[in-house]
Amino acid sequence: MCSVIGYVGKNMSRPFVMEGLSRLEYRGYDSAGFACLSPQDNQMLYAKAIGRLENLTEQFNQHPIDGFLGIGHTRWSTHGVPSAENAHPQFDCQKTISIVHNGIIENHHELREQLQDVGHVFHSQTDTETIAHLFESLLISHNTFKSAVIDLVNHLDGAYAFLALAQQRSDTMVVVRRRSPLCIGIGDAEMFVASDVLAFADKTNKVIFLPDESFALVKKDIIELYDFTGKPLVPQVQEVQVNWHNSQKQGFEHYMLKEIYEQKNAIYSTVKFLQALDETIFDHLGLSLEELKNVERIHLLGCGTSWHAGLIAKFFFEQICLIPTTVHLASEFRYNHFFAEPNALYILISQSGETADTLEALRLINSMNAKTIALTNVASSTMVREAEGFLLTQAGHEIAVASTKAFSTQVAALYWFAHFMAYAKHIINHQQLIAAQDDLLIAAELLENSIENYKTVIAQELAPRYACSKKAIFLGRHVSYPIAQEAALKLKEISYIFAQTYPAGELKHGPLALIDNETPVFLFSHIDPLIYQKLVANAQEVKARGGHIILFAFEGQRELIALADTVFLFPKIKPLLGPLAMTGVIQFFVYHIAKELDRPIDKPRNLAKSVTVE
Ligand code: F6R
């Protein structure tokens, strides 16, 4: 998503704004921009560039603009193609106001028409520009700056977080939040504003997360916070520990590679963290033991990779807790009929805790008075605040757009939680709960060891060979089907190779027609003997049509191994943890395929992390 950054204070703003933008560039990289008020004559100074942030930085060599009040933006395009005109900041007619914005103004067409009718001239296709022109006209018609801002926010529909600079108030930044994340870091005679605390992690740990539907007038040493009616709010200052150093590449070529290697520790930390919660877990979950025992139905919701974690976890809740479980795509959920069920528990899975589709699904479920838990990696996220309860993974900051350690820790946390529920319901005893924790640690160990086993052959032999493929087919069954889906998604997003996933049993119902010797078939095995036998039959169907199989299997699965062209072998483990053990090698393999193709692995085209628009 886009990121917005602002600074007001005793120092020049550009160094902080540019550093903050580079830290959050993973949220969008179609264009970048900066604006500030000149300390000399209060003129609006600005620079914009298409593409990466470095293109903007180059412009400062010739025009080193700066000021005590500055705002910046990196863009993930929603309205209008990536171009200099559509890059933020956007301006009013006289360039007395500048706006940077993350989100969507849903009624911008209507507002644009009204503003054009009274003479405003637009220069971009963005919804953001309407904010600037509207603010311009409201500043004329209102007696006070504050009342103009109140009127402005009440005209705007949609989900948005934006920052505004206005010549009229050269010591104040306007900071507005409706359904998109925004926070203010409090420094010593300086304030940092950003879409994510990571932007100012080493500057201050005193943070105000703006409440939903609120705005702030921020000066270097004072924050006035209001709701959208103009009622003053007391800012809640939180102490947040975010370590920027841990969020750097630390010698790895890409964040994705670093994050792949961090998984073992991330799973360890997640399991140990959950284990140590002890009785306090009920405060986190927002549920009593009795309520947990009474859960009769589980719904898991998420998008993309988080949805895949849910698809895997369905087998955990059904097999371990014996609770019927349904998995929903959060982006579809709101458009389906909602069936109220007694004793249903909804678990919203989201690395960022900010994904708009998942957040809107959460709001709908909350409005139906059903029990909600957010499973997320970000303790300060909107989902943690809005769900009745939460469970936190301990993956650490994930920067690469393609999710790796967030996924494996989600799977681990859900496996742990399924056992915890089974224990609460007296389905398993305490020893079995402890054994499940140990199994997770073993899976984490295998995840890392398998990368070590295969890293040379992947990098030197297999990735160069398979990077030539134009398309690929992914097959699995039962719990190995969602890991096939996740593997295909990873390949698509970072290598741009087309990939299609099927439950292996569906092959003969149509997709078998796609099999040829040029399209590798990635097949993910299962430890269960019955499912394994079915997979052998599916592999034979592929081989009989001249197909080429890349197999992820377990030691001893000889019939399957004999049918494969390339084999990755994993030690036998608890059947439901097979996908977790395979995860590292899958990610490492697709990472190297993308590297062979010279793709921008951490920032794939058209994508951005933390999708805060629907
Ligand atoms: C893929 C990926 C995305 C996210 C999805 C949901 O590698 O990262 O599919 O999983 O956008 O994001 P969160 O988990 O933040 O809600």
Side-chain angles (χ1 to χ4, degrees), residues 303-306 350-352 355 401-403 410 489-490 493 611:
C303 293
T305 289
S306 294
S350 172
Q351 185 280 129
S352 59
T355 300
V401 164
S403 187
Q410 285 167 345
L489 176 64
K490 286 286 99 87
E493 66 182 326
V611 187

Side-chain angles (χ1 to χ4, degrees), residues 154-185:
N154 282 289
H155 269 86
L156 304 173
D157 292 340
Y160 48 81
F162 69 84
L163 314 182
L165 295 188
Q167 269 179 358
Q168 208 186 90
R169 275 286 194 106
S170 58
D171 61 348
T172 304
M173 181 182 304
V174 182
V175 176
V176 182
R177 171 180 183 215
R178 184 174 194 249
R179 301 191 159 192
S180 287
L182 202 55
C183 50
I184 305 174

